[in-house]
């Protein structure tokens, strides 16, 4: 029963990670599209501000999704404490938890801050600079997400191997 709870959480985490990865890619596309629109006009117009608000909403959705992943991961860590996993695996889990915290609290927060700044800027040059910074932040976030996904898969594999060895 504990195994099925851990497996269910793994499925939810993996699904959430790939969902977040897709959302991040969508935001990346939005940022590029917004930059080209900004290059074509002299100032921020109503449509661009509307697009920024949509991006902000997507960014909030991404943050919520990441918070859910983190919660699932923490539940899974608690469940796995009842099993006799190696110290190595426990250390990896702790590192992954810290990386999730970093993704949520530093990287996503920074992107939210830049988006808010962008919405307040009417000056095209400042807005373009902020947009490029946002695109860069998003790229880094996506790379970290992909690395996190790989780590999750490796951890799952190690958990299975240790389960087999312990049975």
């Amino acid at each position: 029963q504990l195994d099925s709870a851990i497996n269910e959480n793994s499925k939810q985490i993996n699904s959430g990670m790939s969902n977040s990865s897709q959302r991040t890619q969508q935001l990346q596309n939005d940022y590029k599209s917004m930059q080209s629109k900004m290059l074509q006009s002299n100032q921020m117009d109503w449509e661009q501000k509307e697009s920024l608000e949509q991006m902000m909403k997507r960014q909030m959705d991404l943050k919520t999704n990441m918070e859910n992943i983190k919660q699932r991961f923490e539940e899974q860590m608690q469940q796995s404490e009842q099993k006799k996993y190696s110290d190595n695996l426990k250390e990896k889990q702790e590192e992954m938890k810290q990386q999730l915290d970093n993704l949520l609290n530093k990287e996503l927060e920074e992107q939210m801050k830049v988006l808010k700044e962008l919405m307040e800027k009417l000056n095209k040059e400042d807005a373009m600079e902020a947009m490029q910074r946002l695109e860069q932040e998003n790229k880094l976030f996506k790379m970290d997400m992909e690395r996190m996904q790989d780590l999750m898969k490796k951890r799952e594999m190690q958990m299975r191997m240790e389960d087999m060895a312990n049975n």
Side-chain angles (χ1 to χ4, degrees):
Q1 188 165 343
L2 181 61
D3 285 342
S4 75
I6 289 174
N7 285 338
E8 182 55 34
N9 265 338
S10 283
K11 284 181 193 167
Q12 295 287 334
I13 290 168
N14 287 332
S15 163
M17 291 294 267
S18 56
N19 187 332
S20 290
S21 197
Q22 288 169 352
R23 288 175 188 213
T24 303
Q25 184 58 54
Q26 177 61 51
L27 279 165
Q28 189 71 26
N29 296 340
D30 291 348
Y31 297 151
K32 283 185 175 153
S33 163
M34 181 62 136
Q35 282 182 48
S36 71
K37 284 179 187 170
M38 289 167 85
L39 284 171
Q40 294 166 12
S41 66
N42 293 331
Q43 58 193 14
M44 295 275 281
D45 61 19
W46 180 85
E47 188 180 311
Q48 290 171 338
K49 287 180 184 168
E50 192 64 30
S51 293
L52 282 174
E53 284 177 22
Q54 290 299 315
M55 286 182 225
M56 182 62 105
K57 186 181 180 313
R58 284 196 195 102
Q59 194 76 31
M60 293 293 282
D61 290 345
L62 180 61
K63 186 174 194 284
T64 302
N65 201 36
M66 288 303 296
E67 285 167 348
N68 290 337
I69 290 170
K70 182 176 177 256
Q71 184 180 349
R72 286 273 182 193
F73 186 74
E74 287 171 349
E75 284 171 20
Q76 192 181 47
M77 278 180 71
Q78 288 174 344
Q79 292 164 342
S80 67
E81 279 181 18
Q82 298 171 34
K83 307 198 61 133
K84 291 177 176 63
Y85 288 127
S86 67
D87 289 340
N88 176 292
L89 182 68
K90 290 175 183 169
E91 285 169 22
K92 285 180 184 173
Q93 283 183 320
E94 199 51 51
E95 286 170 21
M96 289 169 71
K97 183 181 176 297
Q98 288 172 354
Q99 287 179 3
L100 271 173
D101 283 340
N102 186 49
L103 278 174
L104 257 170
N105 300 327
K106 290 199 178 72
E107 296 185 31
L108 269 178
E109 285 300 320
E110 180 61 25
Q111 287 182 35
M112 301 285 278
K113 194 177 102 187
V114 174
L115 253 178
K116 284 178 186 163
E117 283 174 21
L118 194 55
M119 291 173 81
E120 293 165 7
K121 291 185 180 185
L122 297 171
N123 175 322
K124 181 182 167 183
E125 286 75 32
D126 288 348
M128 273 303 286
E129 190 180 302
M131 208 63 216
Q132 287 167 346
R133 204 169 96 210
L134 196 53
E135 184 183 349
Q136 198 56 39
E137 294 278 341
N138 188 268
K139 270 185 194 167
L140 293 173
F141 180 79
K142 189 172 189 314
M143 287 166 47
D144 287 343
M145 281 277 302
E146 288 166 355
R147 190 173 59 245
M148 196 69 181
Q149 262 181 305
D150 287 343
L151 288 172
M152 292 277 187
K153 288 175 185 167
K154 287 177 184 170
R155 181 187 61 100
E156 255 181 79
M157 189 66 75
Q158 187 175 349
M159 287 168 79
R160 284 195 193 111
M161 300 289 275
E162 289 187 22
D163 277 341
M164 285 192 273
N166 292 336
N167 287 340

